Amino acid sequence: MNSHATLRVGVLGASGYAGREAIRLLATHKNLRIALATSESEAGASLSRVARGAPDQRMVKLADADLAGCDAVLCCLPHGEAARWSHAALEAGAKVVDLSNDLRVHGPETPEWARGAVYGLPELHRARIAGADLVANPGCYPTAALLALAPLLRRGLAIGPVIVNAASGVTGAGRSPKRELLFGEVAEDYRPYAIGNVHRHLAEMRDQAGGLAMPGAAPELVFTPHLLPVKRGILETIYVTLREPLMGDPAELWNADYAAEPFVEIIADRPASLADAVGSNRVAISVTTVKDVAAPMLIVTAAIDNLVKGAAGQAVQNLNLMLGLPETEGLA
Amino acid sequence: MNSHATLRVGVLGASGYAGREAIRLLATHKNLRIALATSESEAGASLSRVARGAPDQRMVKLADADLAGCDAVLCCLPHGEAARWSHAALEAGAKVVDLSNDLRVHGPETPEWARGAVYGLPELHRARIAGADLVANPGCYPTAALLALAPLLRRGLAIGPVIVNAASGVTGAGRSPKRELLFGEVAEDYRPYAIGNVHRHLAEMRDQAGGLAMPGAAPELVFTPHLLPVKRGILETIYVTLREPLMGDPAELWNADYAAEPFVEIIADRPASLADAVGSNRVAISVTTVKDVAAPMLIVTAAIDNLVKGAAGQAVQNLNLMLGLPETEGLA
Amino acid sequence: MNSHATLRVGVLGASGYAGREAIRLLATHKNLRIALATSESEAGASLSRVARGAPDQRMVKLADADLAGCDAVLCCLPHGEAARWSHAALEAGAKVVDLSNDLRVHGPETPEWARGAVYGLPELHRARIAGADLVANPGCYPTAALLALAPLLRRGLAIGPVIVNAASGVTGAGRSPKRELLFGEVAEDYRPYAIGNVHRHLAEMRDQAGGLAMPGAAPELVFTPHLLPVKRGILETIYVTLREPLMGDPAELWNADYAAEPFVEIIADRPASLADAVGSNRVAISVTTVKDVAAPMLIVTAAIDNLVKGAAGQAVQNLNLMLGLPETEGLA
Amino acid sequence: MNSHATLRVGVLGASGYAGREAIRLLATHKNLRIALATSESEAGASLSRVARGAPDQRMVKLADADLAGCDAVLCCLPHGEAARWSHAALEAGAKVVDLSNDLRVHGPETPEWARGAVYGLPELHRARIAGADLVANPGCYPTAALLALAPLLRRGLAIGPVIVNAASGVTGAGRSPKRELLFGEVAEDYRPYAIGNVHRHLAEMRDQAGGLAMPGAAPELVFTPHLLPVKRGILETIYVTLREPLMGDPAELWNADYAAEPFVEIIADRPASLADAVGSNRVAISVTTVKDVAAPMLIVTAAIDNLVKGAAGQAVQNLNLMLGLPETEGLA
């Protein structure tokens, strides 16, 4: 592993919540060192201001970033702005993980270079990620939903509409000052938003669920996010009608599919909760059969830390795979 | 109204969360005065310790309660213990509102006196409540769900299973010390409980939904409660598949049914949130059509304060009706 | 009281936290009706959006405000901007309560009209407020500190430096979006600010404490505010060295001075806490003698709701006095 | 370091907050492995239930504990019960760190064996700890106060009374269910307790401050703890009058004394806050000069995580010293 010890990583957008979390994780990574960190709002300040334990190193503006000096780049810039900087880093020769929404779904107008982006959910696409130069890091909500549903989708067991009722801590909404994210507005409240199947993560969920399902068998999705008065964490409570009743303990499907996964925990005796996942790169999943309904129905609960498995942690996991490093390095 | 000015109310179980809220509301009620308040754990202490603004009056133990001196009684005792004290108060000549689970659903073994209990959801059963001597105050979760669903159930529009994804603040779990309710356990967490259709409020919801629906047309229910890190409030996010698409704005059904209701607010342009209801006797309801699904589907969101419309406020509303007082007195 | 029933009040800056609280209180006031409400950011929207229960009445921009149509004005505008609008309202013939910092302390450059502003702490200056056309509503921190200290200051009992260690909920910092007030930054944190005697409320505290103390006997003050992860409430823990030991229970001084005060509660057996005051116009005060120190020393704890007694509630209390209405109307 | 790889540690009281934190830290420690974990309430359950990442190992009851199989023991039992189990572990040949209040202050009735307990504040007593078999781990409040004050005490610069205004998250009060620690009671509140110099940590603070100060020069202490609505963290705001004004930046004293300390951070440009310390074994300290007072006065702010530097983290730090391991192992 010594040969990797000098790999240089750049973090673009280091002072947002995802960027800060990336800095924190990289600061303890044995094989990577932070060669570059950018921040438009805090350029000139030390990284150690952004994350405790981070090196005393200056952040620079994007315009001054030496992308060519990076072996790898984590692009934590806002949606819309991220794509061109990921492209620039790729052109400069770096391996790139883009954490934005920009490269996850490909349409007719997606440029050629962006079509090469591999969807970075290691538990589902490990081999392709390992060979990729460009990875689109999944959204936080899709990460939990897809890992929760994959065992059913692959086997063609889910009948739609699948109801994904999701709740997220406020760091999922970013660190830019907005009135509706003030403590005085969020504390003691709880509210749905983007209700009625209009959240931008839906296209990503549908695209990936379609890829996992048997041809023509992808179920419809209904997705409702809610804002929780907590700092971190996503919990999804997912209602799935089954094509046919399952024999035995339904959790066995998840146990089987994820037996070797270092970051998946299947909980046996209770639903998943935020506390099972917050502060770690883990997804906690639990499965319950619904009583007293005619059609066979399961509730799958899944919890992640939106800033770790839902953002920076998964990005480091992807980077480890892309660079041939141990997948769990920096994440334990 | 002067003639009512001396009606005497007893509150059994005045030091729990619902009892305290009842004391707080009664302290400002123009036509009622607190003649009796019981507390096993704080007998001897003043009511003003329990609720700010309450009269400086001693609480007594149940065994020392003068039920005969009460024109009306709010029974805020724990499930299991409540029924016999409500019975005793009824026998002593008082009008009784029982806030427990004990009298809401009647089975073969329900004694004769308890069969007379009217289900106390004023927006649905106002006339019967006005003529009742004994009212079973609804559970907090059923209150929100039934008010949200009634316009669809009455018209036979809902196809099951209806998914009721609910979240409640911690006061819904009572004031007895339990480890899982400590601040250190609840803060920064969010978790489902009683998952898989096993919560005791389900029987009550099914019973009442059956009464509202057209014969044989009551939809199946799937109910999942979650514990929120807030003090008060319930938000339910309810997914309903419709028998047929609705013409026009679906909210018109709710606007029509609840036009004259003082405690129902139909929100037009966004989903309901805890902040719409906490601190009031209001239920806030919003309706959204789900996009991009084949079958017609609505999401109804409904918010209440679990201690007010979900407990003590609704109990006072019922008492007002039973005693011929203005329905909103003490609740504005 | 009927003759007052048509007094018209204007609220300038109705969509900030203090303005909203004022709207909420005025909506239940028997003798006042809201004739005007301004908001630069939400002009055109209904007051009922700002505060539940408020009339469905449009807010306008300041530039369009009909000040001449108001009998009284609550000026809830930001510091710096408030003074000239309070002046304009005064010129237009209204009685004015100004909630900003602008008129509380008078210096050599204070214009003549502003010198007439009476400091609006009713428990200390009731008679002067009743005769005033212009009242400077006290700051939230000084309100708690001055009411806590007055019984000692008047009697010349306090030796400085008096240590005022204060903590406030986030609504004290206003409703404008700032990064340091985001839920993600405030939750699970607690931090001092303006440390070392540099907070702008100090001049106000010193000025008023000087007025209460015997000539030349005003003690030095040391004031440290902290930001609490709660929505509302201020608690001050005040350390006072006494000139001489007190005979008997020190709380008797406070009981004597505040015996007739409707909004002061002296707590006998435990220190004050936020919960004693939040949601009311009350100040809760408790006094404790410090053990095992050579010089006689007291700790006075005082709690208020920063938006009620610390802002809008006290403003309504002042308005009631200025207009000859019952002092507690709209505040019970 | 390989030779240490098999040192066996026992954790008595592994299911309380301090015990769980100890398990969490030990699970990543390179030189120690958990040989024994006791819990009266959860005996039989796996350690992995107590702390994520902990080995799947059964907890046992104290009565079944094999103390002789441990090289070292962390005693996390309740005050009163801890001493005899620490004694038993010592007798069984283990090195012992006792986290309770029992062994920190020695009086005339302290038994001989307990007099050997070294006070475990490494930054002040490193050499004595390294040679000890029995260490009394400091209380959380004294840890912050003594580290904050030591530079002044050693130099005889502090004149009493020193005011220690402290605030702690709720995990400091333990994990046993008590009504006043319920989420419904703590959220949105903030309250002093043990007010007036009656907290049991005072004797410990006085004893240690006396040891640090010049003979006869130990200042009086006034200590007021408050309960914060956060899970973890202590912030102390300490007011110190100086014997004489300091030349230059007062922080230089702290910078000098703690220059080589891995777990002390002196903050230059703002006061310390919980966020500086929570989740780490760090103490964050900041020093500010008070303006506009006659006598020279400093405010020292100090923050720690009450479960890490205030309990389990400091215990592991002590254990590392006692066993000749790198002091920071398991704590970075």
Side-chain angles (χ1 to χ4, degrees):
Chain A
M1 227 181 300
N2 260 10
S3 59
H4 300 304
T6 54
L7 286 175
R8 300 155 302 170
V9 184
V11 177
L12 309 186
S15 58
Y17 283 125
R20 291 204 303 178
E21 194 73 14
I23 295 294
R24 203 170 283 142
L25 293 169
L26 291 170
T28 69
H29 198 293
K30 283 188 202 132
N31 310 109
L32 303 172
R33 70 178 176 78
I34 301 165
L36 165 71
T38 79
S39 166
E40 303 311 288
S41 62
E42 303 184 35
S46 168
L47 265 186
S48 62
R49 270 183 81 98
V50 158
R52 291 191 318 231
D56 183 16
Q57 198 174 314
R58 299 293 123 185
M59 292 183 279
V60 300
K61 295 214 177 219
L62 266 173
D64 301 326
D66 174 20
L67 296 171
C70 298
D71 298 300
V73 162
L74 296 184
C75 181
C76 307
L77 296 170
H79 309 302
E81 200 187 348
R84 66 192 178 99
W85 287 99
S86 283
H87 191 197
L90 202 60
E91 293 283 299
K95 302 229 175 192
V96 176
V97 178
D98 181 301
L99 284 82
S100 81
N101 205 38
D102 293 359
L103 306 176
R104 295 173 191 156
V105 181
H106 303 159
E109 73 298 339
T110 305
E112 194 54 34
W113 69 268
R115 291 180 177 279
V118 171
Y119 191 73
L121 203 40
E123 290 76 9
L124 304 181
H125 306 295
R126 183 168 283 116
R128 294 184 59 213
I129 294 164
D133 289 329
L134 174 62
V135 161
N137 211 56
C140 50
Y141 287 123
T143 292
L146 294 166
L147 292 174
L149 288 169
L152 294 175
L153 295 174
R154 283 169 177 155
R155 292 168 175 87
L157 287 168
I159 297 176
V162 170
I163 310 287
V164 180
N165 194 92
S168 173
V170 293
T171 52
R175 210 173 157 227
S176 298
K178 292 179 193 154
R179 179 173 281 186
E180 71 266 27
L181 300 179
L182 292 179
F183 187 94
E185 306 292 309
V186 171
E188 294 292 311
D189 197 11
Y190 170 66
R191 58 172 190 261
Y193 63 99
I195 199 167
N197 260 4
V198 300
H199 192 280
R200 67 176 163 203
H201 278 173
L202 253 177
E204 179 185 343
M205 282 190 213
R206 285 195 188 114
D207 195 38
Q208 292 295 320
L212 287 168
M214 295 177 161
E220 288 183 318
L221 298 177
V222 176
F223 169 58
T224 313
H226 298 69
L227 185 68
L228 276 176
V230 304
K231 295 173 76 157
R232 288 164 172 246
I234 282 178
L235 182 82
E236 299 186 352
T237 306
I238 306 177
Y239 302 83
V240 192
T241 304
L242 298 176
R243 195 169 299 281
E244 57 196 48
L246 293 176
M247 300 295 108
D249 179 359
E252 287 310 320
L253 302 186
W254 283 258
N255 285 328
D257 285 14
Y258 295 128
E261 289 298 340
F263 295 122
V264 182
E265 179 187 19
I266 309 304
I267 296 175
D269 52 350
R270 55 174 179 78
S273 81
L274 293 192
D276 293 314
V278 169
S280 81
N281 195 50
R282 193 175 314 157
V283 57
I285 297 175
S286 178
V287 188
T288 307
T289 301
V290 181
K291 298 197 177 179
D292 298 328
V293 284
M297 193 178 208
L298 297 180
I299 303 177
V300 189
T301 51
I304 60 168
D305 185 318
N306 57 299
L307 293 180
V308 189
K309 186 62 178 172
Q314 185 143 273
V316 170
Q317 189 181 355
N318 281 320
L319 215 52
N320 286 339
L321 288 170
M322 294 161 82
L323 298 170
L325 302 170
E327 186 173 342
T328 61
E329 177 52 41
L331 298 168
Chain B
M1 225 179 301
N2 260 9
S3 59
H4 300 304
T6 53
L7 287 175
R8 300 154 302 171
V9 185
V11 177
L12 310 186
S15 57
Y17 283 125
R20 293 203 303 176
E21 195 72 15
I23 295 293
R24 201 170 284 143
L25 293 169
L26 292 170
T28 70
H29 198 293
K30 285 190 202 129
N31 310 108
L32 302 173
R33 68 176 176 81
I34 301 165
L36 165 71
T38 80
S39 167
E40 302 312 289
S41 61
E42 303 185 33
S46 167
L47 265 187
S48 62
R49 269 184 82 98
V50 158
R52 292 191 317 231
D56 182 16
Q57 197 175 312
R58 299 292 123 190
M59 293 183 280
V60 301
K61 295 214 178 222
L62 266 173
D64 301 327
D66 174 22
L67 296 172
C70 297
D71 298 300
V73 162
L74 296 185
C75 180
C76 307
L77 297 170
H79 309 302
E81 200 187 347
R84 66 192 179 97
W85 286 99
S86 284
H87 192 197
L90 202 60
E91 294 283 300
K95 302 228 174 194
V96 176
V97 179
D98 181 300
L99 284 82
S100 81
N101 206 38
D102 292 0
L103 306 176
R104 295 173 192 156
V105 181
H106 304 161
E109 74 296 341
T110 304
E112 194 53 33
W113 71 268
R115 291 179 177 279
V118 172
Y119 190 74
L121 203 40
E123 290 77 9
L124 303 181
H125 306 297
R126 183 168 283 115
R128 295 184 57 213
I129 294 164
D133 289 330
L134 174 63
V135 161
N137 211 56
C140 49
Y141 287 123
T143 292
L146 294 167
L147 292 175
L149 288 169
L152 294 175
L153 295 174
R154 284 169 175 154
R155 292 169 175 86
L157 286 168
I159 298 176
V162 170
I163 309 289
V164 180
N165 194 91
S168 173
V170 293
T171 52
R175 210 172 158 228
S176 298
K178 292 177 193 155
R179 178 173 283 187
E180 71 265 28
L181 300 179
L182 292 179
F183 186 94
E185 306 293 309
V186 171
E188 295 293 310
D189 197 10
Y190 170 65
R191 57 172 190 262
Y193 64 97
I195 198 167
N197 261 3
V198 300
H199 193 279
R200 66 175 164 204
H201 278 173
L202 253 176
E204 179 185 342
M205 282 191 214
R206 284 194 188 115
D207 195 37
Q208 292 295 321
L212 288 168
M214 296 178 160
E220 289 183 318
L221 297 177
V222 176
F223 170 58
T224 313
H226 298 69
L227 185 67
L228 275 176
V230 304
K231 295 174 77 155
R232 289 165 170 245
I234 281 177
L235 182 83
E236 300 187 352
T237 306
I238 307 178
Y239 302 84
V240 192
T241 303
L242 298 175
R243 196 170 296 283
E244 57 196 48
L246 293 176
M247 299 295 109
D249 179 0
E252 287 310 320
L253 303 186
W254 283 260
N255 285 328
D257 286 13
Y258 295 128
E261 288 299 338
F263 295 121
V264 182
E265 179 186 20
I266 310 302
I267 296 175
D269 53 349
R270 55 174 179 78
S273 81
L274 292 192
D276 293 313
V278 170
S280 82
N281 195 51
R282 193 174 314 156
V283 57
I285 297 176
S286 178
V287 188
T288 307
T289 302
V290 181
K291 298 197 176 178
D292 298 329
V293 285
M297 194 178 208
L298 297 180
I299 303 177
V300 189
T301 50
I304 60 169
D305 185 318
N306 57 298
L307 293 180
V308 190
K309 186 63 178 170
Q314 186 144 269
V316 170
Q317 189 182 355
N318 282 319
L319 215 53
N320 286 339
L321 288 170
M322 295 161 81
L323 298 170
L325 302 170
E327 186 173 341
T328 60
E329 178 49 42
L331 298 169
Chain C
M1 227 179 300
N2 260 9
S3 60
H4 299 304
T6 53
L7 286 176
R8 299 154 302 169
V9 184
V11 177
L12 309 186
S15 57
Y17 283 125
R20 292 203 303 177
E21 194 72 14
I23 295 293
R24 202 169 284 143
L25 293 169
L26 292 171
T28 69
H29 198 292
K30 284 188 202 130
N31 310 109
L32 301 174
R33 70 177 175 79
I34 301 165
L36 165 70
T38 79
S39 168
E40 303 312 288
S41 62
E42 303 185 34
S46 168
L47 265 187
S48 62
R49 269 185 83 97
V50 158
R52 291 192 317 231
D56 183 16
Q57 196 175 314
R58 299 293 122 188
M59 293 182 279
V60 301
K61 295 213 177 222
L62 266 174
D64 301 326
D66 174 21
L67 296 172
C70 297
D71 298 301
V73 162
L74 296 184
C75 181
C76 307
L77 296 171
H79 310 302
E81 200 186 348
R84 65 191 179 99
W85 286 99
S86 284
H87 192 198
L90 203 59
E91 294 283 298
K95 302 228 175 194
V96 176
V97 179
D98 182 300
L99 285 82
S100 81
N101 205 39
D102 292 1
L103 306 176
R104 295 173 192 156
V105 181
H106 304 159
E109 74 297 339
T110 305
E112 194 52 35
W113 70 268
R115 291 181 177 279
V118 172
Y119 191 73
L121 202 41
E123 290 77 8
L124 304 181
H125 306 297
R126 183 168 282 114
R128 294 184 58 213
I129 294 164
D133 289 329
L134 175 61
V135 161
N137 211 57
C140 49
Y141 287 123
T143 292
L146 294 166
L147 292 174
L149 288 170
L152 295 176
L153 295 174
R154 284 170 176 153
R155 292 168 175 85
L157 287 167
I159 297 176
V162 170
I163 309 287
V164 180
N165 195 91
S168 173
V170 294
T171 53
R175 210 172 157 228
S176 297
K178 292 179 193 152
R179 179 173 281 185
E180 70 266 27
L181 300 179
L182 293 179
F183 186 95
E185 305 293 308
V186 171
E188 295 292 312
D189 197 10
Y190 170 66
R191 58 173 189 261
Y193 63 98
I195 199 167
N197 261 4
V198 300
H199 193 279
R200 66 175 164 203
H201 279 174
L202 254 176
E204 178 184 344
M205 282 190 213
R206 284 195 189 114
D207 194 37
Q208 292 295 321
L212 288 167
M214 296 178 161
E220 288 183 318
L221 297 176
V222 176
F223 170 58
T224 313
H226 298 69
L227 185 68
L228 275 176
V230 305
K231 295 173 77 154
R232 288 165 171 248
I234 281 177
L235 181 82
E236 298 186 354
T237 306
I238 306 178
Y239 302 83
V240 192
T241 303
L242 298 175
R243 197 170 296 281
E244 57 197 47
L246 294 175
M247 300 294 109
D249 179 0
E252 287 311 320
L253 302 186
W254 284 259
N255 285 328
D257 285 14
Y258 295 128
E261 289 298 338
F263 296 121
V264 182
E265 179 185 21
I266 310 303
I267 296 175
D269 53 350
R270 56 174 179 78
S273 81
L274 293 192
D276 293 313
V278 169
S280 81
N281 195 49
R282 193 174 313 157
V283 58
I285 297 175
S286 178
V287 188
T288 307
T289 301
V290 180
K291 299 197 177 177
D292 299 329
V293 283
M297 194 179 207
L298 297 179
I299 303 177
V300 188
T301 51
I304 60 168
D305 185 318
N306 57 299
L307 293 180
V308 189
K309 186 63 177 171
Q314 185 143 272
V316 170
Q317 189 181 356
N318 281 319
L319 214 53
N320 286 338
L321 287 170
M322 295 161 81
L323 299 170
L325 302 170
E327 186 172 342
T328 61
E329 177 51 41
L331 298 169
Chain D
M1 223 181 302
N2 259 10
S3 60
H4 300 304
T6 54
L7 286 175
R8 299 155 303 171
V9 184
V11 177
L12 309 186
S15 57
Y17 283 125
R20 291 203 304 177
E21 195 72 13
I23 295 294
R24 202 170 283 143
L25 293 169
L26 291 170
T28 69
H29 198 293
K30 285 190 200 128
N31 311 109
L32 302 173
R33 69 176 176 80
I34 301 165
L36 165 71
T38 80
S39 167
E40 302 311 288
S41 61
E42 303 184 36
S46 168
L47 265 187
S48 62
R49 271 185 80 99
V50 158
R52 291 190 319 231
D56 183 17
Q57 197 175 313
R58 299 294 121 188
M59 291 181 281
V60 300
K61 295 215 177 221
L62 267 173
D64 300 326
D66 174 22
L67 296 172
C70 298
D71 298 300
V73 162
L74 297 184
C75 180
C76 307
L77 297 170
H79 308 302
E81 198 187 350
R84 64 191 178 100
W85 286 99
S86 284
H87 192 197
L90 203 59
E91 293 283 300
K95 301 229 174 192
V96 175
V97 179
D98 181 300
L99 283 82
S100 81
N101 206 38
D102 293 359
L103 306 177
R104 295 173 191 157
V105 182
H106 304 160
E109 73 298 339
T110 304
E112 194 53 34
W113 70 268
R115 290 179 178 280
V118 172
Y119 190 73
L121 203 40
E123 289 77 8
L124 303 181
H125 306 296
R126 183 168 283 116
R128 294 184 58 213
I129 294 164
D133 289 330
L134 174 62
V135 161
N137 211 56
C140 49
Y141 287 123
T143 292
L146 294 166
L147 292 175
L149 288 170
L152 295 175
L153 295 174
R154 284 169 176 154
R155 292 169 175 86
L157 286 168
I159 297 176
V162 170
I163 310 287
V164 180
N165 194 91
S168 173
V170 293
T171 52
R175 212 173 155 226
S176 297
K178 292 178 193 154
R179 179 172 281 187
E180 71 266 27
L181 300 179
L182 292 179
F183 186 94
E185 306 293 308
V186 172
E188 295 292 310
D189 197 10
Y190 171 65
R191 59 174 189 260
Y193 63 97
I195 198 166
N197 261 3
V198 300
H199 193 280
R200 67 176 163 202
H201 279 173
L202 253 176
E204 178 185 343
M205 282 190 216
R206 285 194 188 115
D207 194 37
Q208 292 294 321
L212 288 167
M214 296 178 161
E220 289 182 319
L221 297 176
V222 176
F223 170 58
T224 312
H226 298 69
L227 186 66
L228 276 176
V230 304
K231 296 173 77 156
R232 289 165 172 245
I234 281 177
L235 182 83
E236 300 186 352
T237 306
I238 307 177
Y239 302 84
V240 192
T241 304
L242 297 176
R243 196 169 299 281
E244 58 197 46
L246 294 175
M247 299 296 109
D249 178 0
E252 287 310 320
L253 302 186
W254 284 259
N255 285 328
D257 285 14
Y258 295 128
E261 289 298 339
F263 296 121
V264 182
E265 179 186 19
I266 309 304
I267 296 175
D269 51 351
R270 55 173 179 78
S273 81
L274 293 191
D276 294 313
V278 169
S280 82
N281 195 51
R282 193 175 313 156
V283 58
I285 297 175
S286 179
V287 188
T288 308
T289 301
V290 180
K291 297 196 177 177
D292 298 329
V293 285
M297 193 179 208
L298 297 179
I299 304 177
V300 189
T301 50
I304 61 168
D305 185 318
N306 57 299
L307 294 180
V308 189
K309 186 63 179 170
Q314 186 144 271
V316 170
Q317 189 181 356
N318 281 320
L319 215 53
N320 286 339
L321 288 169
M322 295 161 81
L323 298 170
L325 301 170
E327 186 173 341
T328 61
E329 177 52 40
L331 298 168

